Amino acid sequence: MNDSPPRLLLVAACALVDSGGRVLIARRPDGKAQAGGWEFPGGKVEAGESPEQAVVRELREELGVEPCEQCLQPFAFASTTLEGGRWLLMPLFVCRRWDGFVDPKENQQIAWVRPERLSDYALLPADRPLAAELRDRLAGEKVS
Ligand SMILES: Nc1nc2c([nH]c(=O)n2[C@H]2C[C@H](O)[C@@H](COP(=O)(O)OP(=O)(O)OP(=O)(O)O)O2)c(=O)[nH]1
């Protein structure tokens, strides 16, 4: 029996929500783990960073937008095993205000999706319960 604890992978992600209540998801580009799956923008928290700082950095790098840290609302988290024996711990923030226009920097496909339609997409497994939570808590917001 192998009693060694799983290696923890700390990832921070963010659901950008536009004024119409739609959520941004992105398709993982070729060459990355789990390529082709849909996810919330974000990435690994680097040494010395807070999850909030990691999200701000990743949104800038991946999408060219600049949220202020104070606009990141802690929403939910994923805690689950990943292929390869690692354990993913991933806080998900919601952000409704940012500077700049979304411009995918890594040739990734993006989609703005009503929360109740998120389950139509091939989300990464860890993201499915988070999408259900977004549906339950954000759905019904007024579309402008
Ligand atoms: N960014 C992000 N990663 C997710 C989500 N759901 C999920 O299981 N993951 C997993 C996929 C990866 O195994 C890991 C994140 O790694 P990553 O490759 O996106 O992180 P990164 O941008 O810092 O990576 P890298 O360029 O340094 O390789 O977390 C999600 O919604 N967003």
Side-chain angles (χ1 to χ4, degrees):
M1 193 172 119
N2 181 2
D3 285 334
S4 61
R7 225 159 24 96
L8 193 64
L9 181 65
L10 181 58
V11 172
C14 183
L16 292 179
V17 179
D18 75 4
S19 58
R22 286 170 306 217
V23 175
L24 182 93
I25 53 174
R27 198 149 185 251
R28 286 179 70 79
D30 290 344
K32 283 203 167 193
Q34 304 185 77
W38 289 86
E39 66 173 8
F40 302 103
K44 299 182 194 95
V45 179
E46 293 179 354
E49 268 184 339
S50 66
E52 287 82 353
Q53 288 168 335
V55 161
V56 170
R57 175 180 53 72
E58 293 280 357
L59 289 177
R60 186 186 304 134
E61 289 172 4
E62 293 178 0
L63 298 170
V65 296
E66 201 70 42
C68 63
E69 266 185 62
Q70 295 86 329
C71 300
L72 299 176
Q73 171 198 349
F75 183 80
F77 67 93
S79 178
T80 188
T81 186
L82 286 177
E83 274 176 30
R86 286 173 312 169
W87 195 271
L88 174 73
L89 183 61
M90 187 178 80
L92 177 72
F93 296 88
V94 161
C95 177
R96 296 167 187 273
R97 285 174 48 212
W98 56 88
D99 284 335
F101 295 96
V102 169
D103 174 22
K105 301 287 184 194
E106 299 175 344
N107 284 329
Q108 72 277 40
Q109 198 182 339
I110 60 160
W112 288 99
V113 183
R114 303 275 322 149
E116 59 273 24
R117 305 310 300 263
L118 284 168
S119 57
D120 294 351
Y121 289 76
L123 296 169
L124 297 186
D127 294 4
R128 292 174 201 155
L130 299 173
E133 193 69 19
L134 285 163
R135 179 198 63 213
D136 292 347
R137 289 165 58 187
L138 301 189
E141 287 189 5
K142 193 166 83 47
V143 179
S144 58

